[in-house]
Amino acid sequence: MAMRTRVAIVGAGPAGLLLSHLLEAEGVESVVLETRTQEYVEARIRAGILEQSTVDLLVQNGLGDRLLAEGDPHRGIHLQWPQERHHLDFVDLIGRTVTVYGQTEVQKDLGQAREAAGQPILYGIGDTGVHDVESDHPYVTFTDADGKRRRLDADVVVGCDGSFGPSRGAVPPAARQTWERTYPYAWLGVLAAVAPSTDELIYARHPDGFALHSMRSADVSRFYLQVPAGTDIAAWPDDRIWEALSTRLNLDGWELATGAITEKSVLPMRSFVQQPMRHGRLFLAGDAAHIVPPTGAKGLNLAVADVALLAPALAGLLVRGDHRAADAYSDTALRRVWRCTHFSWWMTTMLHTGDDPFDAQLQLSQLRWVAGSEAAARGLAENYAGMPIGL
């Protein structure tokens, strides 16, 4: 059974749904395909920090009502190492903020907007294949939720299907370059039903390993602990987690509140970039083209920036016959990708501990420099809060 659309979007995460929303505003129809169920996609725990540019884009496109009502704007972050905690105020430094608003909430907002618009989204598909992207008639094949084999013809295919979807691999090896770094540590991520013990995020370097105190709401806290790569979650019962967090976040006169842990998982840490982000009539966005370690809070924001560039580029190509922005998409997007890849690597290597005492002294020197130099603090703030999309 064949279908047809202008843009076939593979992946119904935030990148895919936001792209379909932006394309509709440009007068371009799309169909979204997703291997997972809608319930799974909306429930999976991911990022929680939105850059100023991401917030502005969502609000400007009618997606910000709940974000503005329930999101938690933060002026900055705390940097910590043993016996010292320093606040970096982004508003004072660069006049921009970040907002704590979970990716699950962004996903729900996008899903509701797409449902209200009657957007075709096919969840629970399988055996997805991307074909003929070097021609003017690319198409996607898949098995639908009822087990029927189907084909979706399109003018353009956009891969928003992450690291393990078929889109990335549809670019022939001879036509792509890849760069990858795998870190020797991972994050143990924890959700806890306890009010945050901090007003803004705490990034803590400690001899035992990095720790991060974040939050999802006034009643839910999010924590991360540096653990060795390949760590078995069973080796970290709740008591051990709270003990490690209390030790690594310890500061005289401050106390960590504890509560019931409702979710925990181990997250690998790696960097990955594939270029170009376009091959023929196939365009890549988000994790399909690049992965960053979560230390810099860039993953979701990079995906948003990608599709913010891609939507008008595809409208130019498909509606006005102007291919210039589509031709420039990969180069334009990759400038931001590599900037965020560097920032995420820098934050990661500055805060995570290893076995080399020389590296430890370099890390402390960097932290003292950032906390003590307005120019250094401004550089961190500019990267963390995010530069305007397109720069």
Side-chain angles (χ1 to χ4, degrees), residues 348-364:
T348 300
T349 55
M350 180 172 64
L351 290 160
H352 290 72
T353 57
D355 298 326
D356 190 330
F358 185 83
D359 286 345
Q361 293 304 313
L362 292 179
Q363 290 174 312
L364 290 171

Side-chain angles (χ1 to χ4, degrees), residues 134 168-178 274-276 279:
E134 295 176 349
R168 180 190 291 179
V171 181
R176 66 180 188 247
Q177 290 180 285
T178 60
Q274 175 170 308
Q275 66 180 53
H279 181 70

Side-chain angles (χ1 to χ4, degrees), residues 1-243:
M1 184 184 299
M3 308 163 55
R4 174 153 188 89
T5 189
R6 300 301 304 274
V7 180
I9 301 172
V10 185
L17 293 189
L18 179 57
L19 177 61
S20 72
H21 185 90
L22 298 177
L23 285 173
E24 182 182 46
E26 297 275 4
V28 179
E29 67 169 0
S30 63
V31 172
V32 182
L33 307 173
E34 172 58 52
T35 59
R36 305 287 193 171
T37 65
Q38 183 175 359
E39 294 74 20
Y40 177 91
V41 172
E42 291 184 350
R44 57 188 171 188
I45 303 296
R46 291 292 188 271
I49 304 296
L50 304 185
E51 294 178 359
Q52 180 78 60
S53 297
T54 296
V55 172
D56 292 346
L57 180 75
L58 294 173
V59 171
Q60 290 163 8
N61 286 278
L63 298 165
D65 290 350
R66 205 160 64 91
L67 165 59
L68 293 176
E70 301 178 17
D72 184 10
H74 282 201
R75 291 181 64 97
I77 62 171
H78 298 281
L79 282 182
Q80 178 175 321
W81 56 97
Q83 307 308 317
E84 295 194 44
R85 182 180 294 172
H86 298 267
H87 184 248
L88 303 185
D89 191 309
F90 298 165
V91 177
D92 288 347
L93 290 164
I94 61 168
R96 294 166 71 79
T97 64
V98 295
T99 298
V100 175
Y101 191 68
Q103 181 171 318
T104 51
E105 305 310 313
V106 175
Q107 183 75 36
K108 291 173 187 175
D109 294 343
L110 288 166
Q112 290 170 4
R114 296 291 71 222
E115 184 176 347
Q119 171 66 45
I121 305 174
L122 303 181
Y123 290 98
I125 68 169
D127 301 320
T128 310
V130 177
H131 310 277
D132 286 0
V133 297
E134 295 176 349
S135 75
D136 292 334
H137 305 287
Y139 64 95
V140 181
T141 56
F142 60 96
T143 301
D144 68 17
D146 296 323
K148 297 178 181 177
R149 196 65 182 158
R150 304 184 70 174
R151 169 172 168 156
L152 175 62
D153 291 287
D155 298 315
V156 164
V157 176
V158 180
C160 300
D161 48 344
S163 301
F164 304 107
S167 299
R168 180 190 291 179
V171 181
R176 66 180 188 247
Q177 290 180 285
T178 60
W179 294 263
E180 186 167 9
R181 172 160 294 176
T182 301
Y183 297 87
Y185 33 75
W187 275 12
L188 192 162
V190 172
L191 270 180
V194 60
S197 302
T198 178
D199 58 340
E200 296 181 336
L201 277 69
I202 304 171
Y203 285 78
R205 184 202 177 278
H206 188 274
D208 291 351
F210 168 76
L212 172 61
H213 186 341
S214 183
M215 62 282 292
R216 285 295 178 266
S217 70
D219 303 310
V220 177
S221 295
R222 183 71 162 156
F223 300 97
Y224 297 97
L225 286 167
Q226 176 187 343
V227 294
T231 289
D232 183 354
I233 194 67
W236 283 85
D238 293 1
D239 288 348
R240 184 184 179 190
I241 290 172
W242 287 123
E243 180 180 0

Side-chain angles (χ1 to χ4, degrees), residues 228-367:
T231 289
D232 183 354
I233 194 67
W236 283 85
D238 293 1
D239 288 348
R240 184 184 179 190
I241 290 172
W242 287 123
E243 180 180 0
L245 285 168
S246 296
T247 298
R248 299 184 194 186
L249 293 168
N250 178 59
L251 189 72
D252 290 345
W254 179 86
E255 185 175 351
L256 175 68
T258 62
I261 291 177
T262 58
E263 188 270 342
K264 53 186 174 182
S265 59
V266 174
L267 314 172
M269 301 278 283
R270 67 189 182 103
S271 299
F272 175 90
V273 179
Q274 175 170 308
Q275 66 180 53
M277 292 172 60
R278 177 193 181 180
H279 181 70
R281 288 289 179 122
L282 171 65
F283 296 79
L284 303 179
D287 287 0
H290 42 75
I291 302 288
V292 291
T295 325
K298 290 290 155 243
L300 173 60
N301 293 292
L302 265 180
V304 169
D306 286 348
V307 300
L309 292 171
L310 185 55
L314 292 181
L317 179 68
L318 300 176
V319 177
R320 297 182 291 276
D322 183 347
H323 59 80
R324 289 174 295 177
D327 290 346
Y329 165 69
S330 180
D331 288 342
T332 304
L334 282 166
R335 284 197 294 271
R336 189 184 190 95
V337 168
W338 278 113
R339 173 85 302 275
C340 292
T341 298
H342 174 266
F343 177 67
S344 298
W345 165 85
W346 180 72
M347 287 282 286
T348 300
T349 55
M350 180 172 64
L351 290 160
H352 290 72
T353 57
D355 298 326
D356 190 330
F358 185 83
D359 286 345
Q361 293 304 313
L362 292 179
Q363 290 174 312
L364 290 171
S365 176
Q366 286 187 80
L367 286 164

